[in-house]
Amino acid sequence: MVFLVIEKERNDLIMWPSIRAFLNIPENLTGKGVNIAVIDSSFAQHPDITSNRQRNTYLIQTSEPDTQPVLLQSNEGPWNKGLHGLWSATAAAGSGMLSNGFFTGAAPDANLYLLQTGSFYTSNDAEEKIGKALEWLKANWRSSNIRGVVLTVTATRDTGLLPWQADPVRILCEELMSEGLLIVSSSGNTKELTCDGPSASPSVLSVGGVIVPVDGDALHAQAYHGCRGNTFDNKWVPEILAPAGNVVLPMPFQSEEERLHHYTASYDNLPDGYARTEGTSYSGPIILGAAACIWQVNPLWSAAKVKEAILRSSTHSPHVWNELRSGLVNVSAAVNMNVSFDDEGFLATTPFLLWKSWKEREHTESLAALRSGDEEETLAALFSYFSEPLSIEMFHDIHPLLQHSSYKIRAAAIILLSECPETISIEDLRPLFKDTSSYVRMGVLYACGKCPDLWEQLLIDIAALFSDMDSDIQYASLTLAAQVKHPFFISPIIAGLMDDAVNQRVSTFSQRCHALEQITGIQFDSEPEWREGQCWYSARSTETRVGIARKWIAWQSS
């Protein structure tokens, strides 16, 4: 393994491996000739991701009237916008241009299609714009010969506890996977939650991470503090791991002061304009880059076969990252794997096509299945009515299922009924807030969000879930509180702030603060302030959260 050492003024050199060095990707595997796509809000025109002699990069503005791909050339900077897009694209296929080709992405010669959605202002806005990017792929991936796409910034209706049919973004992901496009999704950065957005979708390849050690030895890597858990559809997230901590990527500092303010840059000997960062926003694209390397050698392999090869060839180290129940991507092994895979059989039984086949059935047939008493048939019939208007006749058949013995049927029933909020009563919702299944409690929170006329009567029920045993439910109830914006919530939200801060429950702490800001219009500054490259679970981050909790407690007492 080769490491780059840049001599600077420091004598106590700290050396970090590149993505390819850590994963030991063979030099001849660069993704040459393979087209891959990255979805993000915007992209800096940085030399590491723009067109060069080895590959082409295209920018597609998917929220604009003109969505024709435009060849993207680098500019002179200052590259101070579109940084998340820059980092995600670099992790997948960065050329390492400003590091003399050393700190590249996983597939530095792959052709890039950068799908620029525009800024996200609300969760609904994000859902709509990501949907437009996926719709562009649906119309163009074949003609552009795009083999795979990665989502790192996603619209999140829930944290994996709703069925995929309840989320239009996941429906599009499943449709594209059934057509033959590989969809990769970053799973999320907080260990309290199950997952982030599309990574919950059954067919999407969900990616977690490991923390790259300074010696570059994969066996010494620790598990990254990312999301993990079982989804409504019985999928474990994450399915595969890649570098998510101590990932060296371009960091276009605008001044020496900004470089020194970065959390790690002053401790490392890296080329100017590079620094360590962290997040599954980078492990996800690395997996897409790994797939490009596999396609370079096996261009006839389907997306499903590449996914299978990645999963089956991964390196497991149970004593190091067993908590994630997944292996580290191994490109060399995947390329040479003899994958016996029935593409025809797989494509005929994808979740999307099975769902579509149920939706195409006669209404009387679906209704009979709904009344059959068979759990599997009833659930499939329920799902077939998702994303469609609900008739009064259907309401009368679905309503009794709120009492069904199957938690999945109870959850699906309340989600489906919420499409006609005028048909839902307090008596329908209230028992479900105390259901023994987290999936049902997530379903009732989803339904409650669509019934604003009932919010005033459900304040106590919603607030009770702020201290639920399941962090996913806490997070969702706090998200709903931020939507409701009722002063009643202030006291129970503040009551849990310090406990979340001290015990490093990053997601629920953040959502408590967001809800309080929405309700009161007050926002407290972070002290010490957050710095780029800082770990959300570091002692400094914990100190910041404790400080904010104290400010809210003092505000409440004043």
Side-chain angles (χ1 to χ4, degrees):
M1 188 176 291
V2 179
F3 297 99
L4 181 69
V5 180
I6 304 294
E7 290 287 349
K8 292 188 177 180
E9 297 177 0
R10 295 173 60 87
N11 294 317
D12 52 336
L13 298 178
I14 299 179
M15 302 171 288
W16 294 97
S18 67
I19 292 167
R20 287 174 60 83
F22 174 72
L23 294 176
N24 202 24
I25 299 176
E27 289 185 12
N28 63 309
L29 300 183
T30 62
K32 184 70 175 176
V34 179
N35 299 350
I36 56 176
V38 180
I39 297 175
D40 214 300
S41 59
S42 62
F43 298 89
Q45 290 180 245
H46 188 282
D48 277 27
I49 62 170
T50 50
S51 300
N52 56 47
R53 293 179 181 178
Q54 301 300 316
R55 62 101 178 280
N56 290 325
T57 297
Y58 300 94
L59 182 71
I60 302 97
Q61 300 189 69
T62 55
S63 293
E64 299 297 325
D66 184 2
T67 59
Q68 288 298 311
V70 176
L71 195 67
L72 189 67
Q73 304 288 355
S74 62
N75 60 22
E76 296 299 319
W79 309 315
N80 58 350
K81 296 180 180 179
L83 293 180
H84 189 275
L86 166 64
W87 298 328
S88 297
T90 300
S95 64
M97 183 70 71
L98 298 189
S99 64
N100 294 320
F102 187 84
F103 285 108
T104 71
D109 291 342
N111 297 315
L112 278 170
Y113 283 73
L114 306 180
L115 275 59
Q116 184 166 289
T117 64
S119 300
F120 306 134
Y121 299 104
T122 65
S123 57
N124 288 338
D125 187 48
E127 186 173 284
E128 179 182 348
K129 288 177 176 175
I130 291 168
K132 285 182 178 179
L134 292 170
E135 289 284 3
W136 185 91
L137 283 168
K138 184 179 171 182
N140 295 280
W141 74 270
R142 286 188 180 88
S143 60
S144 298
N145 198 28
I146 296 171
R147 307 301 301 268
V149 62
V150 64
L151 297 96
T152 62
V153 287
T154 56
T156 302
R157 287 199 167 194
D158 68 308
T159 55
L161 272 60
L162 293 178
W164 65 267
Q165 297 92 335
D167 182 351
V169 170
R170 276 178 256 180
I171 289 173
L172 276 169
C173 287
E174 286 298 323
E175 183 175 7
L176 285 166
M177 282 292 295
S178 74
E179 291 182 358
L181 182 69
L182 178 65
I183 312 282
V184 180
S185 178
S186 302
S187 59
N189 300 325
T190 52
K191 59 188 177 183
E192 312 89 60
L193 303 182
T194 296
C195 66
D196 207 10
S199 57
S201 206
S203 306
V204 170
L205 183 54
S206 63
V207 186
V210 299
I211 301 171
V212 177
V214 69
D215 65 3
D217 188 338
L219 295 178
H220 297 160
Q222 298 297 310
Y224 182 69
H225 50 71
C227 295
R228 74 283 304 269
N230 284 304
T231 71
F232 181 94
D233 302 293
N234 301 321
K235 170 185 175 179
W236 173 261
V237 175
E239 298 168 283
I240 191 70
L241 307 176
N246 294 328
V247 183
V248 179
L249 296 171
M251 197 70 59
F253 300 117
Q254 303 303 300
S255 65
E256 178 63 11
E257 180 183 8
E258 185 177 316
R259 188 187 75 82
L260 292 173
H261 188 261
H262 187 277
Y263 197 61
T264 65
S266 60
Y267 299 100
D268 297 337
N269 277 275
L270 296 171
D272 289 336
Y274 289 81
R276 283 183 288 143
T277 190
E278 65 163 89
T280 58
S281 286
Y282 317 119
S283 60
I286 289 169
I287 292 298
L288 181 62
C293 292
I294 297 168
W295 267 310
Q296 178 187 344
V297 177
N298 301 291
L300 299 181
W301 280 14
S302 66
K305 185 173 286 189
V306 168
K307 177 185 173 184
E308 184 75 5
I310 288 173
L311 293 176
R312 285 178 50 192
S313 64
S314 63
T315 302
H316 287 259
S317 180
H319 300 298
V320 181
W321 52 75
N322 61 324
E323 64 190 82
L324 297 178
R325 305 185 200 174
S326 304
L328 182 67
V329 64
N330 186 331
V331 175
S332 296
V335 163
N336 297 306
M337 174 159 279
N338 182 16
V339 182
S340 180
F341 194 84
D342 179 10
D343 280 318
E344 271 191 37
F346 169 79
L347 291 174
T349 58
T350 63
F352 180 80
L353 289 182
L354 290 175
W355 182 57
K356 184 180 177 183
S357 71
W358 268 92
K359 291 180 80 66
E360 291 172 348
R361 294 189 182 195
E362 293 292 333
H363 173 63
T364 52
E365 188 179 355
S366 297
L367 204 56
L370 202 62
R371 299 167 176 170
S372 68
D374 180 89
E375 182 176 334
E376 190 174 325
E377 289 272 301
T378 300
L379 196 59
L382 276 173
F383 289 148
S384 73
Y385 291 105
F386 276 48
S387 76
E388 291 183 4
L390 192 65
S391 67
I392 294 298
E393 179 192 10
M394 288 304 304
F395 168 80
H396 290 303
D397 278 287
I398 294 170
H399 189 268
L401 298 178
L402 295 176
Q403 311 297 325
H404 200 280
S405 59
S406 164
Y407 72 85
K408 287 196 172 185
I409 290 177
R410 296 197 302 277
I414 190 59
I415 293 167
L416 189 52
L417 289 174
S418 71
E419 296 305 314
C420 291
E422 66 276 6
T423 66
I424 297 179
S425 69
I426 288 292
E427 289 71 27
D428 295 329
L429 296 177
R430 185 156 279 151
L432 301 180
F433 277 90
K434 297 179 181 179
D435 197 282
T436 56
S437 169
S438 294
Y439 301 103
V440 177
R441 298 199 299 281
M442 182 65 79
V444 75
L445 285 168
Y446 174 87
C448 188
K450 297 196 168 192
C451 302
D453 291 344
L454 302 180
W455 287 349
E456 190 77 25
Q457 301 173 68
L458 291 169
L459 297 177
I460 294 174
D461 304 86
I462 296 169
L465 297 186
F466 298 166
S467 55
D468 194 271
M469 294 293 291
D470 189 324
S471 295
D472 288 297
I473 301 302
Q474 288 185 35
Y475 184 86
S477 62
L478 291 162
T479 302
L480 180 58
Q483 183 182 353
V484 176
K485 300 181 183 179
H486 198 287
F488 174 80
F489 292 139
I490 293 174
S491 182
I493 291 175
I494 292 177
L497 263 179
M498 186 59 76
D499 191 53
D500 278 358
V502 171
N503 290 288
Q504 296 189 321
R505 300 187 194 105
V506 175
S507 295
T508 51
F509 179 88
S510 173
Q511 208 61 5
R512 285 180 189 274
C513 291
H514 175 64
L516 288 169
E517 290 162 8
Q518 291 298 305
I519 296 167
T520 66
I522 296 170
Q523 184 174 10
F524 292 111
D525 292 334
S526 300
E527 295 177 11
E529 65 180 330
W530 186 84
R531 294 161 65 184
E532 188 65 60
Q534 181 175 324
C535 174
W536 293 278
Y537 291 88
S538 66
R540 180 186 174 94
S541 295
T542 301
E543 181 185 355
T544 297
R545 287 190 289 271
V546 168
I548 291 174
R550 284 176 178 153
K551 290 177 181 179
W552 276 113
I553 293 168
W555 173 84
Q556 186 183 30
S557 301
S558 63

